[in-house]
């Protein structure tokens, strides 16, 4: 049986074994296989739920780093709009704070909710303020699409076929094939079917970038709906043309 590698720390593995009661009845291979197949958002939830009414910004940072392998500290704040009953005080200056802007947002949000939040609450807040759909990112790992966003790789596997590369504030997007795609197909050009779909969405080929490129003419962050259409277009072509590679 081929076993997927585990990238979680020993602490996280021990937590999963305890919470899911993976006792001596399971072989080591079965435990590794079980843990490797867990959804990343489930691992995130387990980590946060350990802290109950004492969730802090370092807890959230660590939960995301452990589950998703990227650093929320480095992600810019995209909006100051109200979410639910929480509103950033007008006097808040993210540019002059002595911490990461994301930490100031997290600390204010957590204090407002008396440090009692669920993983789902945190994901909704992160999507709102930082434009990061963690559930969507989790699902992206099964699509053979690499995602580079907010200055770091959020999803990446050596056998991914295409890259979605967004700018720092998600204003622009470029799409191109991976080295693996070029090695297996013998072409650096993405397939005509995908080119056609992207052009219909507003992308155009940029020879300087050697990629299909879109920049939001409004200067605002591209919408989740636009990101979703881009992902769907890539998945459709991947399933139709590249299942065997």
């Amino acid at each position: 049986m081929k076993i997927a590698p585990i990238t979680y720390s020993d602490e996280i593995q021990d937590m999963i074994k305890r919470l899911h009661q993976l006792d001596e009845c399971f072989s080591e291979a079965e435990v590794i296989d079980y843990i490797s197949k867990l959804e990343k958002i489930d691992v995130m939830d387990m980590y946060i739920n350990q802290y109950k009414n004492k969730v802090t910004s370092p807890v959230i940072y660590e939960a995301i780093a452990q589950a998703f392998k990227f650093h929320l500290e480095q992600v810019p704040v995209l909006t100051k709009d109200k979410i639910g009953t929480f509103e950033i005080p007008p006097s808040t200056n993210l540019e002059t704070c002595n911490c990461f802007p994301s930490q100031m947002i997290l600390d204010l949000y957590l204090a407002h909710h008396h440090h009692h939040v669920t993983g789902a609450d945190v994901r909704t807040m992160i999507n709102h303020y930082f434009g990061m759909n963690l559930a969507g990112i989790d699902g992206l790992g099964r699509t053979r699409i690499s995602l580079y966003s907010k200055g770091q790789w959020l999803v990446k596997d050596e056998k991914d076929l295409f890259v979605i590369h967004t700018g720092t504030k998600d204003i622009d997007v470029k799409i191109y094939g991976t080295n693996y795609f070029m090695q297996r197909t013998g072409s650096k050009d993405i397939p005509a079917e995908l080119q056609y779909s992207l052009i219909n969405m507003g992308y155009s080929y940029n020879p300087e970038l050697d990629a299909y490129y879109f920049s939001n003419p409004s200067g605002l962050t591209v919408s989740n709906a636009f990101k979703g259409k881009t992902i769907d277009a890539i998945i459709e072509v991947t399933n139709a043309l590249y299942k065997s590679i």
Side-chain angles (χ1 to χ4, degrees):
M1 176 177 63
K2 184 178 180 181
I3 300 173
I6 288 185
T7 57
Y8 299 129
S9 67
D10 291 341
E11 175 195 3
I12 295 297
Q13 292 182 54
D14 290 341
M15 174 193 74
I16 295 170
K17 290 175 186 177
R18 182 180 72 255
L19 294 176
H20 285 234
Q21 299 179 339
L22 304 180
D23 55 26
E24 292 78 8
C25 296
F26 296 89
S27 68
E28 181 180 358
E30 288 172 328
V31 170
I32 292 174
D33 185 58
Y34 182 91
I35 294 176
S36 68
K37 291 178 179 176
L38 287 172
E39 303 283 341
K40 290 180 173 61
I41 59 173
D42 290 340
V43 175
M44 175 183 173
D45 287 351
M46 280 185 272
Y47 190 89
I48 289 174
N49 288 343
Q50 295 181 109
Y51 292 86
K52 297 183 179 178
N53 297 328
K54 298 180 181 178
V55 180
T56 62
S57 52
V59 167
I60 293 174
Y61 283 150
E62 185 63 15
I64 292 173
Q66 287 283 355
F68 292 90
K69 305 298 180 284
F70 71 81
H71 301 286
L72 184 65
E73 301 95 313
Q74 301 172 15
V75 175
V77 178
L78 299 183
T79 180
K80 291 184 179 179
D81 291 345
K82 178 180 179 180
I83 179 173
T85 60
F86 171 68
E87 187 170 16
I88 299 172
S91 60
T92 303
N93 190 331
L94 299 176
E95 286 72 35
T96 60
C97 63
N98 295 321
C99 59
F100 294 111
S102 62
Q103 183 178 344
M104 179 171 282
I105 298 291
L106 290 174
D107 288 344
L108 289 168
Y109 177 82
L110 292 169
H112 177 79
H113 291 286
H114 308 290
H115 297 270
H116 178 67
V117 294
T118 65
D121 295 332
V122 171
R123 286 191 290 279
T124 298
M125 181 268 293
I126 288 173
N127 195 22
H128 179 78
Y129 285 110
F130 309 107
M132 304 187 77
N133 181 346
L134 295 181
I137 291 170
D138 191 2
L140 205 59
R142 295 179 288 278
T143 63
R144 306 189 73 183
I145 298 172
S146 292
L147 174 63
Y148 185 89
S149 183
K150 315 297 191 301
Q152 54 191 314
W153 288 104
L154 305 185
V155 180
K156 195 172 191 291
D157 184 86
E158 63 181 10
K159 291 187 178 180
D160 285 342
L161 297 172
F162 301 102
V163 175
I164 297 176
H165 187 295
T166 69
T168 303
K169 292 193 174 182
D170 283 2
I171 295 170
D172 57 339
V173 189
K174 58 183 178 181
I175 311 295
Y176 55 92
T178 64
N179 289 335
Y180 180 79
F181 171 82
M182 289 184 274
Q183 291 167 4
R184 293 305 303 267
T185 65
S187 173
K188 67 181 181 62
D189 299 325
I190 64 175
E193 293 89 340
L194 181 54
Q195 294 178 29
Y196 180 76
S197 295
L198 294 176
I199 289 170
N200 280 343
M201 292 170 56
Y203 286 85
S204 61
Y205 178 71
N206 184 314
E208 293 182 4
L209 299 174
D210 194 18
Y212 275 78
Y213 180 77
F214 174 85
S215 181
N216 197 343
S218 69
L220 301 175
T221 299
V222 295
S223 68
N224 283 336
F226 183 85
K227 295 175 188 175
K229 285 179 67 178
T230 299
I231 291 168
D232 289 344
I234 297 173
I235 291 173
E236 182 177 356
V237 168
T238 300
N239 289 341
L241 303 178
Y242 302 117
K243 277 192 173 182
S244 60
I245 69 170

